[in-house]
C-alpha cells in the first residue's frame, strides 16, 4: 500500500480521539470522521509499519449511528470531534472509555467495575450548552473582517456560518454581527498575528444561564477602542447585556487575555447560580436529579474561571456531594478547588471545608463568593495541594509529639483538619501528584471523592488509592462536553474496614 491509495473498509471501533478504526489487509487504519458501523471508501494519508491513517473519501453505507452534521465547518474546526456520531452512541463511547481505562490502566476486574458503575449522565440537549465563547478576529484574503474559530491545529481563522456555533448560545451570533458592524463602520482593524499589527484580537462572550446576564469583552492590542460609544450603543440593546469591557493584551502570545480589564459599560461581573440537586436512583439504578432550594451564587468576571456547562456542572457536583454523604458534622478538604465551586456546595452540608488551589486569583474569587453566599465555614489556601496538605500533616504530627506550651495553642493546626472525614479532589488532566496521594492515605479519611476530567490518570490514581487501603464504592461518568471526546467522571471511595 502507498500514500493516496484508495480502499474500502468497514469501521469496527472508535479510537480515543473519536476516529473510526478499521482493518484492511492486516493493517489497522485510524480514520478521522468515520463512524463505527460505516462502510466507506478511504484514502491513505500516512503509513507506518502495521498501521496507518486515512480519511473518508466516500461513505458507501452509513452506520446507523451516523447523523447529519449540524454545522458546516465541523470537519475543519477543532471544537467538535464527534458531531457525526449520534448522541446516544457518543455517550456509550464515553462510558466505554472510562470502563476501559479502569480495566487496563487501573487493573480493576470487570466484576469490580460492574458492581460500582453507574450509567453515564447525559445532557438533555447536547447543543447550545456552553456559557462562554472566545472567538479570534482576523482579516480574510479579500480584506473582509472574519470572526470565527481556528482550524484544527492551526491559527488560520475559519468563518462560522452566520456566526452561529451550535455549542454556544443563540445570542453569540447577534453580538458578533454587531461587533463586525461597529468595526467596519469605524475602520477598526482586526489584529494580524504575523505582522503584530491591528487592534481587535478576540471577542469573549459569557452568559449566566440562570440570570440571562451577558458579558462581552473585546481583547485588544492597545489601550483604547476608537469611538467606543458606538460599540456600546449597539451592544447594550442586546437583551440581557450587563457588562461590556475591554481587555488589553499587547504581548506576542497565544494566551488570550491580558492582565488589565477596563469596564466600558455596566457591571464588572455577571452573576450566575449553580443549584444543588438531590440524586435519586430507580430500581434499575438509573440516576435522576431533582433541583433543591439550595443555590450557590457566583460573580464571574472576564478573567474568572467558571465551568462552561452549568447545567451538567450542577449534576456533577451534586453527585460528588451525594458520594461524600455529609451530615453536617464533617470536616472536608477540597483539593484543586479553583474558585471554590465544589467547596461552597460542600460547605452547605459539612462543619468545615478547607479548599486548596494553586492560582491566587481563583482563591480571591473563592473567598468573595463565600462572602456573597454568607458561607462562613469555608477556608481557602493558596498553594500546591500536595505541599499544603503535607505541610499541615507534618506540622501537626510534630505538634502531637511535643508538649504544648501555654499560649501556643493559637498557632496549633486545627486537629480536625488533620483527620478529615472526606477529601474531595478535582485535579487537572495530569491527575494527582504522588505526594498528594500519599498524604491523603496518611490522613486516612473515611471517604475520598475523586472528580476527574481524564479517565486515564484517574484510573492510575485510583489503583494507587485502592492499593493504599481504599475501595471503589461508586463510579459515574458525566458528559459535560457533548460533540467532543472529553468526559468527566466522579468516583466515590471508601476506606476498607471502615
Ligand atoms: N474544582 C474546581 C476547579 C477544578 S480544575 C472547579 O470545579 O471549578 C483544576 C484546578 O486545579 C485548577 O483551578 C488549577 O489551577 C488547579 N491546580 C493545578 N495544579 C494544582 C496543584 N498542584 N495544587 C493545587 N491546585 C492545582
Amino acid at each position: 500500500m502507498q500514500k493516496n491509495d484508495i480502499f474500502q473498509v468497514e469501521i469496527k471501533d472508535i479510537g480515543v480521539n473519536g476516529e473510526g478504526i478499521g482493518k484492511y489487509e492486516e493493517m489497522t487504519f485510524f480514520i478521522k470522521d468515520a463512524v463505527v458501523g460505516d462502510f466507506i471508501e478511504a484514502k491513505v494519508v500516512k503509513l507506518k509499519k502495521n498501521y496507518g491513517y486515512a480519511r473518508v473519501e466516500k461513505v458507501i453505507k452509513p452506520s446507523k449511528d451516523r447523523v447529519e452534521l449540524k454545522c458546516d465547518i465541523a470537519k475543519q474546526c477543532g471544537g467538535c470531534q464527534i458531531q457525526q456520531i449520534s448522541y446516544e452512541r457518543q455517550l456509550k463511547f464515553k462510558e466505554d472509555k472510562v470502563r476501559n481505562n479502569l480495566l487496563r490502566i487501573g487493573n480493576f476486574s470487570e466484576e469490580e467495575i460492574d458492581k460500582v458503575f453507574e450509567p453515564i449522565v447525559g445532557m438533555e440537549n447536547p447543543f447550545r450548552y456552553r456559557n462562554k465563547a472566545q472567538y479570534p478576529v482576523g482579516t480574510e484574503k479579500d480584506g473582509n473582517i472574519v470572526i470565527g474559530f481556528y482550524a484544527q491545529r492551526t491559527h488560520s481563522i475559519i468563518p462560522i456560518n452566520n456566526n452561529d456555533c451550535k455549542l454556544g448560545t443563540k445570542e453569540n451570533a447577534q453580538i458578533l454581527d454587531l461587533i463586525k458592524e461597529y468595526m467596519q463602520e469605524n475602520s477598526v482593524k482586526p489584529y494580524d498575528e504575523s505582522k503584530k499589527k491591528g487592534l481587535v484580537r478576540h471577542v469573549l462572550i459569557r452568559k449566566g444561564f440562570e440570570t440571562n446576564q451577558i458579558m462581552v469583552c473585546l481583547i485588544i492590542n492597545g489601550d483604547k477602542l476608537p469611538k467606543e460609544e458606538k460599540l456600546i450603543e449597539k451592544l447594550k440593546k442586546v437583551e440581557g447585556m450587563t457588562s461590556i469591557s475591554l481587555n488589553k493584551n499587547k504581548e506576542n502570545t497565544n494566551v488570550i487575555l491580558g492582565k488589565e480589564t477596563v469596564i466600558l459599560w455596566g457591571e464588572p461581573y455577571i452573576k450566575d447560580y449553580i443549584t444543588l440537586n438531590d440524586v435519586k436512583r430507580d430500581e434499575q439504578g438509573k440516576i435522576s436529579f431533582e433541583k433543591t432550594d439550595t443555590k450557590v451564587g457566583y460573580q464571574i468576571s472576564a478573567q474568572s474561571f467558571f465551568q462552561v456547562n452549568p447545567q451538567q456542572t450542577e449534576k456533577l457536583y451534586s453527585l460528588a456531594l451525594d458520594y461524600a454523604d455529609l451530615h453536617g458534622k464533617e470536616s472536608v478538604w477540597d483539593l484543586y478547588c479553583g474558585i471554590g465551586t465544589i467547596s461552597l456546595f460542600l460547605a452547605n452540608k459539612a462543619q468545615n471545608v478547607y479548599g486548596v488551589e494553586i492560582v491566587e486569583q481563583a482563591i480571591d474569587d473563592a473567598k468573595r463568593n463565600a462572602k456573597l453566599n454568607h458561607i462562613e465555614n469555608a477556608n481557602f489556601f493558596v498553594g500546591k495541594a500536595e505541599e499544603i496538605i503535607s505541610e499541615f500533616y507534618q506540622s501537626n504530627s510534630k505538634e502531637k509529639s511535643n508538649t504544648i506550651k501555654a499560649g501556643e495553642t493559637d498557632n496549633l493546626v486545627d486537629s480536625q483538619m488533620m483527620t478529615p472525614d472526606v477529601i474531595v479532589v478535582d485535579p487537572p488532566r495530569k491527575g494527582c501528584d504522588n505526594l498528594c496521594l500519599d498524604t491523603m492515605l496518611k490522613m486516612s479519611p473515611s471517604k475520598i471523592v475523586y472528580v476527574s476530567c481524564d479517565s486515564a490518570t484517574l484510573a492510575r490514581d485510583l489503583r494507587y488509592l485502592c492499593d493504599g487501603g481504599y475501595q471503589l464504592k461508586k463510579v459515574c461518568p458525566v458528559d459535560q462536553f457533548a460533540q467532543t471526546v472529553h468526559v468527566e467522571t466522579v468516583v466515590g471511595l471508601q476506606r476498607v474496614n471502615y
Side-chain angles (χ1 to χ4, degrees):
M1 278 197 113
Q2 292 183 1
K3 191 176 167 185
N4 292 334
D5 274 1
I6 304 257
F7 61 103
Q8 292 188 344
V9 62
E10 188 179 341
I11 305 301
K12 297 274 195 192
D13 206 352
I14 312 181
V16 283
N17 297 313
E19 71 279 26
I21 301 177
K23 263 205 160 164
Y24 184 76
E25 292 183 348
E26 298 307 305
M27 293 273 284
T28 301
F29 278 96
F30 299 93
I31 307 170
K32 191 178 162 295
D33 303 323
V35 177
V36 69
D38 274 350
F39 185 63
I40 62 162
E41 198 172 275
K43 188 175 191 172
V44 178
V45 175
K46 202 172 174 183
L47 281 175
K48 298 275 183 187
K49 199 163 164 236
N50 42 25
Y51 67 94
Y53 299 90
R55 68 159 187 259
V56 181
E57 277 291 287
K58 195 164 87 188
V59 179
I60 300 168
K61 190 167 178 289
S63 156
K64 65 172 182 11
D65 297 317
R66 177 176 275 281
V67 291
E68 225 161 89
L69 296 173
K70 285 234 182 192
C71 167
D72 297 343
I73 59 157
K75 279 190 181 169
Q76 298 105 288
C77 169
C80 296
Q81 300 101 34
I82 50 174
Q83 213 190 86
Q84 68 282 3
I85 304 178
S86 70
Y87 188 52
E88 213 175 303
R89 189 65 185 79
Q90 287 184 23
L91 291 177
K92 169 142 184 6
F93 159 70
K94 293 184 186 192
E95 227 176 50
D96 289 348
K97 186 166 165 175
V98 176
R99 267 178 188 276
N100 281 336
N101 282 333
L102 290 176
L103 207 63
R104 298 203 180 122
I105 301 174
N107 260 319
F108 294 98
S109 69
E110 298 233 10
E111 299 78 63
E112 272 176 291
I113 298 170
D114 284 345
K115 245 195 313 192
V116 296
F117 210 89
E118 304 206 83
I120 185 165
V121 177
M123 296 182 199
E124 273 150 42
N125 176 8
F127 289 95
R128 302 228 178 268
Y129 59 80
R130 285 188 66 100
N131 60 6
K132 173 184 163 186
Q134 297 179 119
Y135 303 91
V137 185
T139 311
E140 283 186 301
K141 282 197 191 84
D142 58 10
N144 282 333
I145 295 169
V146 56
I147 307 185
F149 284 123
Y150 292 129
Q152 233 170 7
R153 290 185 218 101
T154 75
H155 264 210
S156 58
I157 301 170
I158 32 177
I160 311 163
N161 221 7
N162 301 322
N163 282 336
D164 187 24
C165 163
K166 301 291 186 295
L167 300 191
T169 66
K170 284 220 170 87
E171 291 88 347
N172 291 351
Q174 183 196 359
I175 293 168
L176 295 185
D177 285 345
L178 291 171
I179 293 174
K180 219 164 164 179
E181 212 176 83
Y182 151 79
M183 289 176 69
Q184 278 157 350
E185 287 169 3
N186 298 286
S187 307
V188 180
K189 294 272 171 290
Y191 179 65
D192 181 331
E193 266 189 330
S194 57
K195 299 200 182 95
K196 316 205 178 356
K197 279 207 173 118
L199 194 61
V200 183
R201 300 173 72 128
H202 275 88
V203 176
L204 163 74
I205 307 175
R206 284 186 127 141
K207 182 177 177 185
F209 275 25
E210 281 252 345
T211 57
N212 288 324
Q213 295 183 347
I214 294 179
M215 159 184 287
V216 176
C217 177
L218 264 63
I219 295 101
I220 62 168
N221 170 42
D223 295 305
K224 222 180 142 6
L225 273 178
K227 304 211 187 105
E228 63 182 41
E229 67 287 353
K230 302 271 183 203
L231 176 72
I232 295 168
E233 206 176 288
K234 286 180 194 290
L235 287 180
K236 73 180 186 194
K237 289 192 188 133
V238 177
E239 207 181 319
M241 190 58 62
T242 304
S243 167
I244 305 172
S245 60
L246 65 82
N247 173 275
K248 301 177 191 179
N249 186 355
K250 296 185 237 173
E251 308 286 315
N252 177 19
T253 166
N254 280 343
V255 178
I256 295 179
L257 286 169
K259 289 204 172 72
E260 194 185 344
T261 305
V262 183
I263 304 302
L264 301 180
W265 179 86
E267 309 284 323
Y269 305 103
I270 55 167
K271 203 168 177 200
D272 206 15
Y273 294 92
I274 296 187
T275 306
L276 178 65
N277 284 232
D278 278 336
V279 178
K280 302 263 156 79
R281 292 178 180 80
D282 69 12
E283 274 163 23
Q284 276 83 44
K286 194 171 172 338
I287 297 178
S288 61
F289 295 87
E290 230 168 67
K291 284 186 191 275
T292 68
D293 294 336
T294 309
K295 279 182 184 183
V296 180
Y298 301 88
Q299 275 183 347
I300 309 155
S301 68
Q303 258 125 335
S304 310
F305 172 85
F306 192 64
Q307 296 284 344
V308 297
N309 181 344
Q311 286 133 337
Q312 289 298 97
T313 296
E314 87 181 30
K315 294 179 186 165
L316 183 72
Y317 292 167
S318 296
L319 262 175
L321 208 63
D322 179 68
Y323 289 1
D325 191 24
L326 302 173
H327 296 97
K329 291 262 174 265
E330 294 85 352
S331 82
V332 184
W333 281 90
D334 178 21
L335 307 180
Y336 311 88
C337 71
I339 59 163
T341 325
I342 304 181
S343 318
L344 300 185
F345 254 54
L346 295 163
N348 273 303
K349 301 248 168 170
Q351 184 153 24
N352 276 304
V353 176
Y354 312 100
V356 184
E357 160 63 43
I358 200 166
V359 177
E360 194 171 352
Q361 211 186 359
I363 289 291
D364 292 341
D365 283 351
K367 287 181 178 165
R368 204 186 57 234
N369 286 324
K371 258 200 203 123
L372 194 75
N373 291 284
H374 312 290
I375 290 174
E376 284 169 2
N377 57 341
N379 312 275
F380 294 99
F381 305 94
V382 181
K384 289 187 176 168
E386 57 275 21
E387 287 176 5
I388 299 262
I389 57 166
S390 66
E391 275 163 25
F392 268 108
Y393 186 78
Q394 276 162 15
S395 64
N396 188 53
S397 321
K398 264 189 237 131
E399 296 290 356
K400 269 189 198 156
S401 57
N402 290 341
T403 321
I404 303 159
K405 292 182 200 132
E408 278 189 356
T409 44
D410 284 353
N411 300 327
L412 266 187
V413 176
D414 181 350
S415 70
Q416 257 212 340
M417 293 169 80
M418 291 313 103
T419 52
D421 301 283
V422 182
I423 299 182
V424 178
V425 295
D426 182 9
R429 307 195 67 143
K430 67 174 195 251
C432 291
D433 185 275
N434 267 359
L435 177 59
C436 183
L437 294 172
D438 280 333
T439 313
M440 283 161 68
L441 291 176
K442 282 185 195 149
M443 285 177 153
S444 167
S446 64
K447 292 192 187 72
I448 295 174
V449 179
Y450 197 132
V451 182
S452 158
C453 55
D454 185 324
S455 54
T457 56
L458 168 72
R460 179 201 65 199
D461 291 350
L462 290 180
R463 172 44 58 210
Y464 199 87
L465 292 171
C466 288
D467 286 346
Y470 284 79
Q471 65 183 27
L472 299 184
K473 284 301 266 188
K474 287 225 180 314
V475 175
C476 187
V478 179
D479 188 23
Q480 295 261 81
F481 305 106
Q483 321 307 334
T484 81
V485 293
H486 302 291
V487 59
E488 297 268 327
T489 313
V490 199
V491 178
L493 295 131
Q494 173 103 42
R495 202 171 68 215
V496 178
N497 302 329
Y498 178 70

